[in-house]
Each structure stands twice: as C-alpha cells, then as structure tokens.
C-alpha cells in the first residue's frame, strides 16, 4: 500500500514538474479541450435547468411530486361538506372548490379572450361568441359588457404547500383570521392582466349564489399559478358566506402519508362516493423524455470533446517525443515503466482537471451574468443557480479526456528503451 | 569469497540489417566492493554494450551475471528496475540534467522514482549530502543552464550517488569536459570507492584509466585484463 502510495505521489510530483516546465504546451492542450468540456458542462447545465424549469411549471399546476390528488365531481351535495369539514384547519390536506364568478356589470357577457388566447386582443364589445355559465340557460347571450369572468378557487388552507405558486405582487391569503364579508381575492397573472387592461365595476356574482346582491371583492395580491386563463383564489369560509358549494367541482390535495386520506375514503364510501386519489409523479413521467433529450445533447458534446481529446493526444505524443531522453534516464535510475506511464497520465489528467475547472468556472460565470442581465425580465432566471450536476459532468469529462488523451503517449513513454541514454 | 559482481561467459549478439553481429564474446569479469576498474577499447568494441548489461539495461544472450552470488542476468524488468534503483548509480558522457529543474531537483530525481517513498525532509537531507559529497552543495538551487560543464557533471554524479549505490557505472564521464575538469570529475568518482562503492569506468582516456585499480581492454568483444608494468 505504501509503495502504491509512493508511486502515485511520485507521478503527481513529476507530472506537476512537467506541467510547470511546459506551460505553453499545457495551455495549448487546455485550449483544445476547453470547448469540448464546456459543451458537456453546458449541455448538462442546460438539461438540469430545463428539467427544473419544466418540473417547476408542472408543479404549479399538478403539484409537488408525491402529492396525492383526488377530483370529486357529481357526488351527492353533502360530499363537499364532508371533505371541507374533514380537511379545514389541517396542513396536510387542502380542498379546492371551483366555481365560476363574473366581476363587473350585471346582465352582460364578459369580455372574451382573443384568438391569441390572451386578453391583449380580447373582444370587448358586440355580440358574445359564447355564453358563460351565468347566462348559459338564456336562449341568446347578452352582448359583451364591462365584466371579466374568472374561475374562483375557494381553498380550505394554504394550497401553496402542494403547489408552489410564485408570488408576483401583494400578499397571499391568511387563514388564521376572522373571515371578511368582502371576500379577499388573490388573482392569477392572467386575471391580473385582464383587470389591468379593462376597467370593470367592483361587483362579483357567483354561480349558484344564495345572495341576490353583488359581492364586493378585495383584490389583495397576484400569483403565478401556471394557468393560462383567469383564476382567483379565496378563502373557503369567505366564499361560503355568500354561496353554497354543494354542486361545485372539488379537488383535494393530500400529503403523501396523511391519515386524512383514510378518513376521507371511509366517510365518502359510506355515502357511496368513490374516492381514489392518484399520486403526482411528474419527474417519473418526464424522466424518459428528459433522459432522451440529455443523451442526444451529450452525444453531440461528446463528439466535440473527442476533438479536444485528439488535441491533447497530439500534444501528448509530441511532448513524449521531446522527452525521450528524460524518460530513458528515469528508467535508468530505477523508475518502473508503470510509473513512467503514470507520469504522462498524471500530466494529462491534471490538464483535463484544470480545463474542467476553467470550463465550469466560465459556465457558472456566464450563467451568473445572464441572471444579472436578464433576471428581471424572466422570473424563472431570478435566483437560478449553477447546477452541481453540470460541475460533476465537467470533472468527469475532464478525467475522461485526460485518460483518453494520455493513454497512447503513456504507453509510448513506458516503452522507451533505456539504451537511448547510452547511444546519445 | 563471493564477488560483488561476477560475469561468466557473457555473450551478446545484435541483429543487424543483414546479419547478426556478436558484440561480446564470452566476457568474464569480477568486481569487488570498493575497487575501481577501467574498460578501454576502440569505438564499436562493445564497451557500452557491456556497460548496458552490467547496468541491467540489457540482457545477455548467454552466460551468467551474478550480483552477490545471485543470478540477475534474466531478471524481469520490474525487478531489474528495483535493483537499478537500489544497487546501481549511472554517470553518462552527456549529463542528462533536466533544464527546468534545479540541481537539487535533478539529484532528487533518483529518489522520486517510485521505489519507496521518502519524506520531503529526508529527501532534502540526502540530496544536500550528495551535492556536498561532490563539492557543489552551494549550487543546489541553480538550474543547469547557469552551471559549467564540470559542475553539471558533478550534479549528475550526485544524482548517481544519492541512493548510496554499491556499483557506480560511468560511461565516458569526462568525454565532454576539458582535461582539468575531467581529472577533477575522476577524483570525485574515485572518492566514492573509499566508501565501499565499486567503480566501473568506460573511457578512451589513458590517463584516467591509469588511475583505476585495474584496466581491462575490450577488443572485438573480447575482454582481457591489462598487466601493469
């Protein structure tokens, strides 16, 4: 063991001496390898960031991996009450009751999203192309007026425990306080755009409301919930003060290991309501797709890396050719062939690692600059950090390049005959 | 009594382009610890081939090579490298100093060779002792380019002595030096014999050969001991 250690140390010492003695050649090797390793680092970083971005967007709508989700539609009216009573006040389960609401003038069709699917080119006047649920029963849709339709999500607790809605402005709902008569509402980005573009009266009507008068909502904040149409979030108790949720659609989000699931299953089955939550497994679902994309790009960057390896090999062979006498002399003073090969490999490995460090540093710096320059424009870039997987990939690429680039020169160095020094 | 080195009937044949050429014909040689001997002969007489076999750089085709009574003529390369490190020191006509290393680092090359590991402090002590032995400890930090030919050869000798070898093999060590410097280098080499190290000197120079304990002539691969008057 001690001998093995001595050989490694000797190879490292002599390798470092060799690098110091041939700085220009080392630099040239590094230059030829730099792009290859940078390509590997960039692909790995890009794939990790893309994976994170993809999952982050999916998490907004589907929930964190491991979350269990159950949809309840069309059950008996009391099933909603059973769920709400069971999960209210709990941190490991949240129920969302979804109803349609219109905010603005009464007796009109709401402003309708444009062909691009946004409110930027919305239809704001004239006959309505379709009726919302408030006027669906009417034989003819009333004309479009100053009103915006949103899907209102009444929540029993902080749904962000399961779906990481991104804060945009204002504040999120608070649940420990007395419910307000004027419901506090958090809009999603799409709804905020609509209310920012169009002035509508602050009067809200809700599907199935028991109150005949309009409700005056309070907009307290905006979040990014990943949805492409207007959504609003309100406390369940602030909504039920005005309307019944008996016939509404409902979704239940549960933590992975919560006893609530068993309780709900028992209670709902007693009412002949099926309750079969499924588990969110976004990472698993997209694993194959992401792996394939990553493999494809890694293949391409591997090709660039090979070109770099050829550069290292070329410089390595030239260096060994130049050092024939040195290696012959080292053999003469008792250096084993294996150590001579080790010296050359140590040099190329150190070169590969130095290049990897440079490429990783460059990539991390570039990402930091990109975040600084463009972070304000794209919320995803804000707080983005260099993925550690990319650094590992860079180091592995450097080691592989060092071994591949140094292998043939190492064999040549080990085969140099000692008699070279006698004939000189 | 067992000799330090004993060659019996060593024969070496090299393959030429058209025919095989016998370089050494049944060479016999005994070398005792602490003695010095010179091998003289014309160019192409086989001196360097004999030295290659003595230094385990090459293997004889026939004959036996005993070191302390043990056959070492057919050793595997790994064991031969270990013996070269522990028993032999080499000095060549060209100094073969690495120009990017200091004198001390050049000497330390023989210690950092994968045959055991010495702590840095011990390496430094041995290197300085070897440089001191050849009288140039004050040049330890100098690079070869800043040294004279004689000084460079002394560094090469220190490199050969730093592992305290039992046999010092010198191949024309004064060939690239002027007479005065050459004489000084021979004195340095002879100094090693006072510590029990055997010296085998290959040389063209009659004066240097005359300073050795014995002289052997190598003529067309046949080694004969010269009888001194």
């Amino acid at each position: 063991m001690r001998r093995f250690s001595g050989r490694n140390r000797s190879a490292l010492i002599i390798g470092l001496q060799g690098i110091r003695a041939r700085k220009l050649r080392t630099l040239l090797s590094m230059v030829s390898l730099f792009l290859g390793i940078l390509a590997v680092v960039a692909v790995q970083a890009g794939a990790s960031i893309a994976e994170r971005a993809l999952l982050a967007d999916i998490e907004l709508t589907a929930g964190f991996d491991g979350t269990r989700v159950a949809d309840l539609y069309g059950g008996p009216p009391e099933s909603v009450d059973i769920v709400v009573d069971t999960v209210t006040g709990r941190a490991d389960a949240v129920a969302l009751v979804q109803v349609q609401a219109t905010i603005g003038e009464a007796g009109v069709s709401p402003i309708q999203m444009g062909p691009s699917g946004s409110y930027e080119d919305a239809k704001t006047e004239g006959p309505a192309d379709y009726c919302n649920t408030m006027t669906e029963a009417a034989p003819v849709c009333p004309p479009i007026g100053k009103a915006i339709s949103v899907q209102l999500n009444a929540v029993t607790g902080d749904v962000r425990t399961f779906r990481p809605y991104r804060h945009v402005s204002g504040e999120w709902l608070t649940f420990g306080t007395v419910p307000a008569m004027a419901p506090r509402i958090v809009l999603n980005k799409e709804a905020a755009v609509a209310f920012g573009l169009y002035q509508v009266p602050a009067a809200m009507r809700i599907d199935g409301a028991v109150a005949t008068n309009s409700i005056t909502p309070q907009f307290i904040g905006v979040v990014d919930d990943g949805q492409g149409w207007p959504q609003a979030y309100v406390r369940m108790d602030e909504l039920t003060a005005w309307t019944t949720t008996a016939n509404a659609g409902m979704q239940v989000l549960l933590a992975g290991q919560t006893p609530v699931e068993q309780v709900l299953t028992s209670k709902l089955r007693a009412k002949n309501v099926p309750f079969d939550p499924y588990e969110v497994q976004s990472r698993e679902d997209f694993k194959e797709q992401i792996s394939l994309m990553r493999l494809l790009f890694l293949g391409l960057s591997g090709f660039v890396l090979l070109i770099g390896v050829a550069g290292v090999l070329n410089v390595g062979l030239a260096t060994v050719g130049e050092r024939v006498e040195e290696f012959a002399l080292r053999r003469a003073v008792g250096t084993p062939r294996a150590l001579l090969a080790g010296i050359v490999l140590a040099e190329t490995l150190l070169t590969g690692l130095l290049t990897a460090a440079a490429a990783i540093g460059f990539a991390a710096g570039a990402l930091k600059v990109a975040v600084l320059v463009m972070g304000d424009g794209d919320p995803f870039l804000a707080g983005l950090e260099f993925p550690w997987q990319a650094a590992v990939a860079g180091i592995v690429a450097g080691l592989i390049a060092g071994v591949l680039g140094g292998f043939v020169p190492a064999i040549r160095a080990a085969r140099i005959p000692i008699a070279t020094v006698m004939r000189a | 009594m067992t000799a330090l080195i004993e060659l019996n009937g060593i024969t070496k044949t090299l393959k030429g382009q058209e025919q095989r050429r016998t370089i050494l014909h049944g060479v016999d040689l005994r070398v005792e610890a602490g003695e010095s001997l010179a091998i003289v002969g014309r160019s192409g007489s086989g001196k360097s081939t004999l030295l290659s076999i003595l230094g385990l750089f090459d293997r004889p085709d026939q004959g036996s090579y005993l070191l302390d009574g043990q056959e070492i003529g057919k050793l595997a390369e790994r064991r031969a490298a270990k013996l070269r490190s522990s028993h032999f020191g080499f000095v060549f006509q060209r100094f073969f100093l690495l120009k990017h290393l200091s004198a001390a680092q050049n000497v330390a090359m023989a210690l950092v060779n994968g045959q055991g590991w010495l702590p840095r402090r011990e390496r430094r002590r041995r290197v300085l002792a070897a440089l001191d032995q050849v009288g140039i400890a004050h040049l330890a930090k100098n690079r070869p380019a800043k040294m004279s030919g004689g000084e460079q050869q002394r560094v090469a000798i220190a490199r050969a002595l730093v592992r305290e070898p039992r046999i010092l093999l010198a191949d024309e060590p004064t060939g690239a030096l002027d007479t005065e410097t050459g004489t000084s280098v021979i004195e340095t080499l002879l100094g090693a014999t006072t510590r029990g190290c055997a010296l085998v000197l290959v040389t063209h120079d009659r004066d240097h050969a005359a300073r050795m304990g014995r002289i052997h002539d190598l003529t067309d691969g046949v080694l004969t001991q010269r009888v001194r008057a």
Side-chain angles (χ1 to χ4, degrees), chain A residues 344-357:
Chain A
V344 176
L345 272 179
E347 287 183 21
T348 52
L349 278 173
L350 286 169
T351 304
L353 284 176
L354 282 174
T355 313

Side-chain angles (χ1 to χ4, degrees), chain A residues 9 325 329 331-334, chain B residues 77 84 90 94 113 115 117:
Chain A
R9 288 193 209 181
E325 287 180 1
L329 180 72
R331 280 195 65 198
V333 298
Chain B
E77 171 54 25
R84 280 198 297 275
F90 302 94
R94 280 176 57 200
N113 64 354
Q115 306 287 3
W117 179 255

Side-chain angles (χ1 to χ4, degrees), chain A residues 147-158:
Chain A
I148 291 168
S149 176
V150 296
Q151 180 172 299
L152 195 58
N153 297 279
V155 291
T156 57
D158 193 348

Side-chain angles (χ1 to χ4, degrees), chain A residues 15-282:
Chain A
L16 280 170
Q17 284 175 346
I19 285 175
R20 280 173 58 190
R22 280 164 284 274
K23 291 189 188 81
L24 184 61
R25 274 181 190 266
T26 304
L27 185 68
L28 288 174
S29 294
M30 287 178 68
V31 168
S32 70
L33 199 55
F34 182 78
L35 280 181
I37 295 182
L38 186 63
V40 172
V41 171
V43 165
Q44 187 63 39
S48 295
I49 290 169
E51 182 181 331
R52 216 191 77 176
L54 185 64
L55 284 175
D57 280 346
I58 293 167
E59 280 169 352
L60 284 181
T61 53
F64 289 119
D65 270 13
T67 300
R68 295 183 63 77
V69 182
D71 293 307
L72 289 171
Y73 291 101
E78 64 267 32
S79 60
V80 173
D81 293 333
I82 289 170
V83 174
V84 171
D85 289 345
T86 308
V87 304
T88 297
R90 295 194 67 102
D92 54 357
V94 169
L96 290 93
V97 170
Q98 290 147 351
V99 293
Q100 201 66 31
T102 302
I103 300 172
E105 287 180 340
V108 298
S109 285
I111 293 168
Q112 296 182 349
M113 292 170 97
S116 66
S118 79
Y119 278 97
E120 302 285 345
D121 54 352
K123 188 174 181 183
T124 58
E125 55 188 16
D129 294 336
Y130 53 88
C131 299
N132 71 358
T133 51
M134 299 289 291
T135 53
E136 210 161 23
V140 179
C141 294
I144 295 170
K146 289 185 176 179
I148 291 168
S149 176
V150 296
Q151 180 172 299
L152 195 58
N153 297 279
V155 291
T156 57
D158 193 348
V159 68
R160 295 176 307 169
T161 313
F162 303 97
R163 291 178 181 160
Y165 297 159
R166 298 176 194 132
H167 174 260
V168 176
S169 65
E171 60 190 51
W172 177 249
L173 304 169
T174 48
F175 292 88
T177 55
V178 178
M181 285 305 287
R184 288 166 294 192
I185 285 178
V186 174
L187 301 173
N188 77 342
K189 275 168 67 179
E190 202 60 42
V193 167
F195 287 108
L197 284 171
Y198 308 107
Q199 296 278 325
V200 297
M204 178 166 75
R205 286 168 306 287
I206 302 166
D207 274 6
V210 288
T212 50
N213 294 334
S214 295
I215 310 159
T216 304
Q218 304 177 62
F219 294 163
I220 60 168
V222 178
V223 292
D224 177 7
D225 63 355
Q227 301 287 358
W229 54 90
Q231 303 269 330
Y233 297 88
V234 64
R235 268 172 59 165
M236 179 74 78
D237 49 5
E238 291 183 5
L239 180 73
T240 47
W242 297 94
T243 184
T244 173
T245 55
N247 295 313
M250 169 176 263
Q251 194 167 56
V252 186
L253 305 177
L254 302 154
Q257 302 288 331
T258 173
V260 177
E261 183 175 335
Q262 189 59 46
V263 173
L264 282 176
T265 305
S266 305
K267 283 184 176 178
L268 291 170
R269 280 192 183 155
K271 298 284 179 189
N272 286 325
V273 177
F275 185 72
D276 297 309
Y278 63 89
E279 189 170 323
V280 176
Q281 290 180 317
S282 307

Side-chain angles (χ1 to χ4, degrees), chain A residues 2-3 5-7 9-11 13-14 17-18 20-22 323 325-326 329-337 339 418-422 424, chain B residues 48 51-52 56-57 77-78 81-82 84-85 90 92 94-96 98 100-101 105 109-110 112-117 119 123 143 159 163 171:
Chain A
R2 186 175 170 77
R3 184 165 157 233
S5 163
R7 283 197 182 174
R9 288 193 209 181
S10 300
I13 287 176
I14 300 166
Q17 284 175 346
R20 280 173 58 190
R22 280 164 284 274
R323 297 166 70 184
E325 287 180 1
E326 178 194 333
L329 180 72
R330 287 193 186 279
R331 280 195 65 198
V333 298
T335 307
R337 287 174 193 268
L339 180 56
I418 313 178
T420 307
V421 283
M422 303 296 292
Chain B
S48 294
L51 211 63
S52 291
L56 301 173
F57 297 174
E77 171 54 25
R78 203 160 57 91
K82 195 170 185 180
R84 280 198 297 275
S85 172
F90 302 94
F92 305 101
R94 280 176 57 200
F95 321 124
F96 292 118
L98 302 186
H100 61 275
L101 302 181
Q105 286 172 321
M109 176 201 278
V112 185
N113 64 354
Q115 306 287 3
W117 179 255
R123 278 206 310 268
R143 297 257 169 116
R159 183 178 63 202
R163 272 196 179 264
D171 186 14

